[in-house]
Amino acid sequence: QVQLVESGGGLVQAGGSLRLSCVASGSIFSINAMGWYRQAPGKQRELVATITGFSSTTYADSVKGRFAISRDNTENTVYLEMNSLKPEDTAVYYCNAEVRTAVWARPANYWGQGTQVTVSS
């Protein structure tokens, strides 16, 4: 019903930048919060940043001042601008969205398939 597709991952040297994008499509009535999470090998998935429908943002302490989340509500897209990347930022990054598929439907969480970000030292 709802698909989230991430793009923009890749290999970058420490100190470099990447911009991730995530487009939501399908049976969408409205989108509440959107966010980015990441999972490094052998670790649990963790929150990176979230943004509400009113563009209120939250960030993990580890990325504050380096990453910026934004969204385009007309395109159902969320972005993650990542600067001053560090090797410890290496992970699979997942997009998340809280979506209502109809006016009468409860919001449900949807996930993208993930995009790999690798930061070399």
Side-chain angles (χ1 to χ4, degrees):
Q1 284 188 327
V2 176
Q3 298 81 39
L4 301 181
V5 179
E6 302 105 332
S7 61
L11 173 65
V12 64
Q13 288 188 333
S17 299
L18 282 174
R19 188 190 195 209
L20 305 183
S21 301
C22 172
V23 180
S25 63
S27 301
I28 298 172
F29 173 75
S30 65
I31 302 177
N32 297 339
M34 303 185 81
W36 290 94
Y37 293 71
R38 67 186 181 186
Q39 188 167 18
K43 295 187 177 181
Q44 290 187 330
R45 189 172 298 189
E46 63 176 2
L47 171 71
V48 177
T50 63
I51 184 167
T52 69
F54 299 101
S55 295
S56 175
T57 59
T58 60
Y59 294 93
D61 288 342
S62 60
V63 306
K64 281 181 181 177
R66 300 188 297 123
F67 291 10
I69 189 170
S70 61
R71 64 190 284 173
D72 182 340
N73 292 328
T74 64
E75 299 290 338
N76 291 334
T77 300
V78 62
Y79 303 97
L80 186 68
E81 187 75 35
M82 305 185 294
N83 299 309
S84 302
L85 283 161
K86 304 175 181 179
E88 51 264 43
D89 294 318
T90 295
V92 177
Y93 284 69
Y94 296 92
C95 173
N96 173 269
E98 189 179 54
V99 179
R100 293 177 67 190
T101 56
V103 63
W104 45 263
R106 286 187 172 186
N109 270 304
Y110 293 88
W111 292 90
Q113 81 287 350
T115 185
Q116 177 70 46
V117 171
T118 303
V119 184
S120 63
S121 56

